[in-house]
Every structure is written in C-alpha cells, then in structure tokens.
Amino acid sequence: MRDAVPLAELTTLRVGGPAVLAECTSTESLVATVRALDAAGIPVLLVAGGSNLLIADSGFAGVAVRIATTGVRIGTDSVVAEAGANWDAVVAATVEAGFGGLECLSGIPGSAGATPVQNVGAYGVEVAALLRRVRLLDRASGEIRWAEPAELGFGYRTSVLKHSDAAMVLEVEFALRADGSSAPLGYRELAAALGADEGESRPAALVRAEVLRLRAGKGMVLDSGDHDTWSAGSFFTNPVIPDSRVDEVRAAIATHVGADVAVPTWAVAGGVKFSAGWLIERAGFAKGFPGADAPARLSTKHTLALTNRGAATAADIAALAREVREGVAERFRVHLEPEPVTVGLTL
C-alpha cells in the first residue's frame, strides 16, 4: 500500500484529495484485499477507470482499492472481461475479432466492471440489453457468484449496485453478434450519419468508427491535451418527468423559451424523458459557462459535461454543478440528478 496518493491522479475529472492506495492486478488479490479491509472495519473506496467519480479535495479517510485487473476472453458468442479492463479496449477487441453488439458503447471512458453498475448507455444501446451475467463478491457473506441481469434492478443509468457497498463486480459477460453486424440502430443521429434507417444494422466496425467520431466532436473521448475531456462525461442524467407533471414542465418551458419551440423528448414508461443538455442551455448556461477564466466550466462542445480547465478543485466542480442544477430547477421546475458518484461531498 502507498500513503497519501492524490486520487486526482485516478479520475478523469482530475480532482480529489489523498488516500492510502492499494493496487490489485489480479482478481484473487482484489478479493483478498477487500475481504481483509472489510474484516478490519476499514472504509474502502473502489476505483477503476475513475470516470464516474467526484472525490472531495479532503480525499478519502480509508483505503482506495484500485481495480487493475485487465483480462479479456472472447468466446464464440460472448466476451468476459475482468472488472478493471478498459471498457473501450474491450469493445475494440470484440470488433477487431469480427463480432458486433457493443459498438455503440465505443469511446465511453472507464472500466468494464463499472458498466453494469451505471447501466451505461449511449446511442440507443444500454448495458442491460447486452449483459449476460456479472460475477460478484458479496461483501457481507464473502460469497462469490455469477448473478443474472434480472437480479440487478436495472433502470435508467442505474442498478442495485449503484450507491451500494453490498457487492463488488469482479467480471462481466456480454453477448456478442457472431456475424459482425451492429446492434439495431436506435439513435436517429447515428443512423442518419450512417445513411441507415432506425432499426437497421450496419457492420460493427463501421458503426464503431462513426460513434467515436461523433463522441470526439462532443469532447466525449478522452484526450489529455483537451480540457473539454477532463470531465466525468455527462454530469446529469436526462430527467424523466412523470405524466402528472409533464404539463407543468411544458408550461414552464413555454413561459421562458416560447410556446412554439420544439423540445427534445422521449416517451418512457410512466412519463416523458427530457433532454438535460437542452434544458441547461435554455436555462442560460451556454457552452463554456461561466467563462474563460473559471477553473471549472461547462464544456465548450457539450453543455452536459462539467470540465476541469487544468486547475479546478472538487469544490469548484461541485459549485458549478449546484449553480446549473438550481438554475434549471428555478426556470423549468426540473430537478437534475448527477450521474457521477460523489465521495466526501454533497451536491
């Protein structure tokens, strides 16, 4: 173990204070380390890709366990990845091996083990639809077992694994398309860019390349030289407004933006999903807000990303998040939920 390691070094936002760090490069050492720390009553912070963490400047009063397991095994119709495997590398490996299915999730930063926790999704595809099973360590009983998707309580960008220390992901298994075709295209922007209709498939390699192009244009592919990518990706989830409140929200939008403005929405079970990015911009928070001198700013490419311009602290990021969230709530009566997990601070 190493003392006083800056956790900023392990997160894509590049903020976070110090902690004792234990790095585990095998599943066996990972399980043994977490079991020993739990038995001793020592607080544990699990860190892998660090793409969905906002850690306080004071750091973490316990041991940060870095999940650095990287194994990937591709079978005849599936892929099994250890929890610490780089997610985009997993996707790339499956496409290069001639398989389809995961290509719409290309370019997403972070680890394979985090994908079911967040029910990661992009361009019309969610992990919940692709996952076959996940290998878990039950931290109370010490049992290791494979769990089926039905046990994970998947929802929009969430699962029973999120905001819970009850279980730790060790491995994930995803179904693949052996013919190399993509999952049916369910996102209009991507389908249009590929000259396809929604519901059609295209070669997985072609779809992956287009997804990476689209994400890069929004500052959503990690690049150490581009501060627009020093972020946690989309900081807020698209809000789902229950049917009972949809008219109220639409009236607020009409009052502040105009009755004839087209509002990007999607019908979902029990309500309507609104575009968080659209609401943020219409609430007065433009790309690059609050300005060039601010250490924490909205991305200059994508208003859903809160970015570190090089010298931001976790407090700076949190203050910007609160300002944006409160502004949207005041104008449109919509509460935005942060997607990253916060450690040692509240928003």
Side-chain angles (χ1 to χ4, degrees):
M1 293 190 185
R2 292 188 288 149
D3 292 334
V5 175
L7 296 180
E9 297 176 358
L10 305 179
T11 71
T12 56
L13 268 168
R14 305 189 186 207
V15 298
V20 175
L21 179 69
E23 188 160 9
C24 300
T25 58
S26 71
T27 297
E28 292 74 20
S29 67
L30 174 62
V31 169
T33 298
V34 171
R35 280 176 172 165
L37 292 169
D38 285 346
I42 298 172
V44 173
L45 174 64
L46 300 174
V47 183
S51 62
N52 205 49
L53 286 174
L54 174 57
I55 301 172
D57 298 310
S58 58
F60 180 70
V63 176
V65 176
R66 182 154 187 263
I67 303 172
T69 55
T70 59
V72 178
R73 307 186 303 276
I74 299 175
T76 57
D77 65 352
S78 68
V79 58
V80 177
E82 292 183 322
N86 177 279
W87 173 248
D88 188 57
V90 173
V91 178
T94 64
V95 172
E96 289 166 7
F99 292 93
L102 303 183
E103 58 289 320
C104 286
L105 303 181
S106 294
I108 295 175
S111 68
T115 60
V117 176
Q118 292 289 120
N119 189 18
V120 164
Y123 294 102
V125 172
E126 285 187 334
V127 158
L130 303 170
L131 186 72
R132 279 196 176 168
R133 55 182 185 161
V134 56
R135 191 173 177 225
L136 299 173
L137 168 68
D138 184 312
R139 292 176 61 183
S141 68
E143 177 190 9
I144 295 174
R145 69 180 184 91
W146 287 97
E148 302 298 319
E151 301 177 58
L152 301 180
F154 283 124
Y156 172 56
R157 299 297 175 269
T158 192
S159 74
V160 298
L161 301 170
K162 189 174 181 180
H163 301 302
S164 171
D165 294 327
M168 177 174 64
V169 176
L170 303 177
E171 292 183 297
V172 291
E173 181 176 2
F174 289 92
L176 298 177
R177 296 166 69 94
D179 65 357
S181 64
S182 72
L185 299 170
Y187 196 83
R188 188 176 307 163
E189 179 187 26
L190 177 60
L194 292 163
D197 293 328
E198 291 183 58
E200 290 185 337
S201 293
R202 288 290 187 268
L206 183 64
V207 175
R208 170 174 165 78
E210 188 59 31
V211 167
L212 289 173
R213 186 190 71 81
L214 290 171
R215 288 185 65 87
K218 299 172 184 177
M220 291 296 190
V221 176
L222 293 181
D223 178 351
S224 61
D226 181 1
H227 286 289
D228 277 332
T229 75
W230 290 30
S231 76
S234 296
F235 197 90
F236 297 103
T237 59
N238 291 321
V240 175
I241 307 302
D243 289 328
S244 60
R245 293 198 59 241
V246 169
D247 287 345
E248 174 190 354
V249 172
R250 289 193 183 279
I253 290 173
T255 298
H256 292 285
V257 182
D260 299 326
V261 174
V263 183
T265 59
W266 302 265
V268 297
V272 175
K273 183 188 296 183
F274 285 72
S275 165
W278 189 93
L279 293 171
I280 289 169
E281 288 197 50
R282 273 46 178 206
F285 303 101
K287 295 172 185 175
F289 177 90
D293 295 332
R297 295 161 50 190
L298 297 185
S299 166
T300 65
K301 303 180 180 75
H302 185 29
T303 53
L304 262 183
L306 276 62
T307 67
N308 176 357
R309 309 316 293 187
T313 64
D316 293 329
I317 300 290
L320 177 58
R322 293 187 197 104
E323 183 175 4
V324 170
R325 186 176 63 181
E326 290 166 6
V328 170
E330 179 181 357
R331 178 156 290 201
F332 300 126
R333 301 183 182 181
V334 172
H335 178 80
L336 296 180
E337 290 288 348
E339 190 166 341
V341 174
T342 57
V343 178
L345 52 79
T346 56
L347 299 179

